[in-house]
Amino acid sequence: MIDQTIFKDVNEIHARLLDHRPVLQGHINHFVQEFEDKRQNREPERLEKVLDNVKEMNEKLIPESLKAMQVFLPDISAKVKVATEMCRKIEDGEILENKQLRQNRSSRKERWDEFLKKQYQNCDEIDTDFNQQVERLKTHYEDLEDKLGYSTMASA
């Protein structure tokens, strides 16, 4: 009998010290109660708002959108076709224009090259003329110095 009482006491001590289930259950119940109180049934209100929005869309917006599409889509489609055709014409014109631009550019490049060649030739001619003139002037002044040298010698 003493064994049974000791066993009961040990079980009771064990339950109080090591069994946390009652404490945890109390905390969990308190948390759930606080969460539900703070929430104040927001989810049903939100769901009702969403339901109202969906009803409004189904009743008003979708039929209006369908009517507008039936009215305006053919016109928009025709305008897109016209714009596409205009783009094709512009593209074709640019292709021809690009060919013409390339031809013009190549002819201008050829004319520029010819111009530069003539300028180099003119520059070479001017350089040779300049050198010839320098040589003539050298010889002329050498002749003058020689004549001055003879005349000063003859008068002395």
Side-chain angles (χ1 to χ4, degrees):
M1 177 117 148
I2 294 177
D3 291 340
Q4 287 180 351
T5 56
I6 293 174
F7 185 70
K8 281 184 184 179
D9 289 340
V10 168
N11 275 341
E12 195 174 310
I13 291 171
H14 178 270
R16 286 187 182 177
L17 290 177
L18 300 174
D19 190 12
H20 301 294
R21 273 185 251 141
V23 174
L24 288 175
Q25 280 294 341
H27 284 299
I28 290 171
N29 288 337
H30 177 70
F31 176 76
V32 167
Q33 188 178 14
E34 285 289 319
F35 182 74
E36 287 177 352
D37 287 344
K38 288 181 182 177
R39 189 178 67 195
Q40 297 175 350
N41 294 327
R42 280 183 260 164
E43 286 81 13
E45 291 173 5
R46 289 181 182 165
L47 286 174
E48 286 178 20
K49 286 181 184 178
V50 168
L51 182 62
D52 291 341
N53 288 338
V54 168
K55 282 182 182 178
E56 181 182 349
M57 289 168 128
N58 282 335
E59 293 171 359
K60 293 180 183 176
L61 295 177
I62 291 176
E64 289 174 6
S65 299
L66 288 174
K67 287 178 185 175
M69 285 192 299
Q70 288 172 351
V71 170
F72 295 114
L73 277 181
D75 186 40
I76 292 172
S77 177
K79 288 180 180 178
V80 167
K81 286 179 184 177
V82 168
T84 304
E85 188 62 32
M86 291 174 78
C87 288
R88 282 192 194 123
K89 287 179 181 178
I90 289 171
E91 184 181 14
D92 292 342
E94 284 181 359
I95 290 172
L96 294 174
E97 221 174 82
N98 283 338
K99 288 179 183 178
Q100 184 65 33
L101 286 174
R102 276 189 245 125
Q103 290 173 350
N104 290 343
R105 191 175 292 142
S106 65
S107 68
R108 279 195 308 271
K109 187 176 184 318
E110 290 171 5
R111 284 187 284 155
W112 180 253
D113 290 341
E114 289 175 24
F115 172 77
L116 286 179
K117 189 186 288 185
K118 287 179 183 177
Q119 292 301 315
Y120 287 131
Q121 288 173 352
N122 289 340
C123 185
D124 289 340
E125 289 174 7
I126 290 171
D127 285 343
T128 55
D129 285 345
F130 177 77
N131 289 334
Q132 288 173 357
Q133 290 294 332
V134 166
E135 288 297 320
R136 284 186 201 148
L137 287 173
K138 270 187 188 178
T139 56
H140 177 71
Y141 283 109
E142 287 174 356
D143 289 344
L144 287 176
E145 283 180 11
D146 288 343
K147 289 180 183 177
L148 279 175
Y150 289 132
S151 64
T152 55
M153 282 198 223
S155 62

